[in-house]
Amino acid sequence: MDLYFMGTNAGVPSLERNVTSLALRLLDERRSFWLFDCGEGTQHQILRSPLKLSKLENVFITHLHGDHLFGLPGLISSRAYQGGDTPLTIYGPQGLKRYITTVLELSESRINYKMDIVEHDGGTVFEDESFRVEAALLDHRIPSYGYRIIEKDQPGKLDTALLKKYGISPGPLYGKLKRGESVQAPNDKTVHAAEVLGKSKKGRIVTILGDTRPCPAALELAKDADVLVHESTFLHELAGIAHTYHHSTARQAAEAAKYAGVKELFLTHFSSRYKNNEQMDRIQQEAEAIFKDTTLAVEHVLYPVDR
């Protein structure tokens, strides 16, 4: 599991940074990647990345401001030309379906894969045997959501040597034992999962927030997360402007990370006024003064999400 940022700017792109887009790469877990927001130019950023559009499985849009979704119609259209023929599901706030269908209809764009658009008002928006994704409404000028991606605990490894001793070969019985069930060995011995199953692997939690002021929902989504991705549009000297425009400062992001008990904080969504290394260093220092394990997201860098 890795994070890969393809846009870290707020509002408009700059020569240094593109507008918001973030991939959660899940190659080991499900041989795919998920995309969180899709600002203008995202498909160009993907061309410069180790990602392949054919492996895109889900898109999660935080809110309907242009810097978070203007790249979506082009990406949807291009995906088919880059080998994408598997289903694609796009999640986001109310109005997302009308936006996508209108653009595709007026541009007479045709796609040759199954696409579902799921509008939500928060709660559990996705769940399968491996992951659950929860969403909650944040505090922004328009409905903006944060997402909590929960990897479910994985069963430990089976003691194959011991199973061989019991006469149990790979097959359906392995599956039952991994699910915690007891099975009958060929010699009629009852084998309990606890005897042959190692310690389970605890799942990871990644929280990715949309644009927001500090709010309780952000803290709930981030509680005990392994990684928190939080907007950091301004330095705290501009806290008044941040509040007026429904954004957060670096200090406020760090305070959220500390209060929620996360392990690592990634800052993104920087105002285009911050261009040089000195200014970016100030953002880093402001957050680190409160929460040490802070990283300023850099585009086209892979960040592993460790267990």
Side-chain angles (χ1 to χ4, degrees):
M1 183 187 292
D2 309 281
L3 296 176
Y4 191 89
F5 292 84
M6 290 173 290
T8 59
N9 236 27
V12 295
S14 66
L15 292 175
E16 296 80 19
R17 300 182 298 269
N18 196 43
V19 284
T20 301
S21 185
L22 166 60
L24 181 63
R25 199 172 72 153
L26 300 164
L27 294 188
D28 291 340
E29 294 78 13
R30 52 203 300 134
R31 301 186 65 79
S32 70
F33 76 94
W34 295 354
L35 191 64
F36 291 81
D37 284 336
C38 188
E40 184 180 358
T42 295
Q43 65 171 312
H44 294 277
Q45 295 287 70
I46 290 176
L47 291 174
R48 298 174 53 205
S49 79
L51 305 170
K52 294 183 178 180
L53 269 180
S54 60
K55 299 293 185 183
L56 177 60
E57 180 185 10
N58 293 317
V59 179
F60 298 88
I61 298 297
T62 61
H63 63 295
L64 302 186
H65 276 154
D67 57 318
H68 292 256
L69 88 165
F70 277 171
L72 194 51
L75 181 141
I76 291 170
S77 300
S78 297
R79 183 173 181 263
Y81 295 103
Q82 297 182 33
D85 55 9
T86 55
L88 176 68
T89 306
I90 305 172
Y91 301 86
Q94 300 294 324
L96 178 64
K97 186 171 185 177
R98 181 158 60 98
Y99 168 74
I100 293 174
T101 55
T102 299
V103 173
L104 295 182
E105 179 184 343
L106 292 177
S107 62
E108 297 189 9
S109 299
R110 294 178 176 85
I111 57 174
N112 63 353
Y113 55 85
K114 184 176 185 296
M115 182 178 71
D116 290 322
I117 303 169
V118 179
E119 295 183 333
H120 66 78
D121 296 306
T124 298
V125 299
F126 171 89
E127 186 167 14
D128 65 9
E129 67 280 358
S130 302
F131 285 89
R132 184 172 74 255
V133 180
E134 300 172 351
L137 184 65
L138 303 172
D139 183 358
H140 195 48
R141 287 194 298 119
I142 64 173
S144 177
Y145 289 85
Y147 293 99
R148 179 179 173 92
I149 304 96
I150 302 163
E151 180 186 32
K152 296 181 180 179
D153 294 348
Q154 300 173 14
K157 288 185 178 180
L158 289 170
D159 187 336
T160 54
L162 186 56
L163 288 170
K164 186 177 181 180
K165 182 179 175 181
Y166 290 151
I168 299 176
S169 302
L173 295 184
Y174 271 35
K176 288 185 176 182
L177 288 166
K178 283 190 173 183
R179 291 193 295 272
E181 301 174 21
S182 299
V183 303
Q184 206 76 17
N187 63 1
D188 290 332
K189 173 181 170 56
T190 300
V191 179
H192 302 288
E195 299 176 52
V196 295
L197 200 57
K199 188 177 179 181
S200 63
K201 296 179 181 177
K202 183 162 180 59
R204 291 157 288 186
I205 298 174
V206 175
T207 299
I208 299 172
L209 302 182
D211 292 2
T212 186
R213 289 171 174 167
C215 65
L219 301 178
E220 292 169 13
L221 288 170
K223 182 175 174 56
D224 298 327
D226 293 276
V227 166
L228 168 62
V229 179
H230 199 301
E231 70 131 288
S232 176
T233 309
F234 300 105
L235 284 163
H236 203 70
E237 63 192 25
L238 297 179
I241 293 177
H243 182 81
T244 298
Y245 290 97
H246 292 78
H247 286 295
S248 298
T249 67
R251 181 190 299 179
Q252 290 167 340
E255 288 170 345
K258 183 177 180 179
Y259 187 88
V262 308
K263 293 184 177 65
E264 189 171 8
L265 170 65
F266 283 87
L267 299 181
T268 186
H269 201 268
F270 310 114
S271 169
S272 57
R273 72 183 63 204
Y274 305 121
K275 295 180 173 63
N276 58 49
N277 291 336
E278 181 181 351
Q279 292 170 320
M280 299 306 292
D281 286 344
R282 288 184 62 199
I283 295 175
Q284 175 95 36
Q285 291 160 8
E286 181 171 283
E288 278 187 339
I290 296 168
F291 189 80
K292 183 179 178 181
D293 293 319
T294 297
T295 299
L296 264 63
V298 176
E299 295 170 20
H300 299 294
V301 174
L302 272 175
Y303 296 102
V305 180
D306 297 323
R307 291 190 184 279

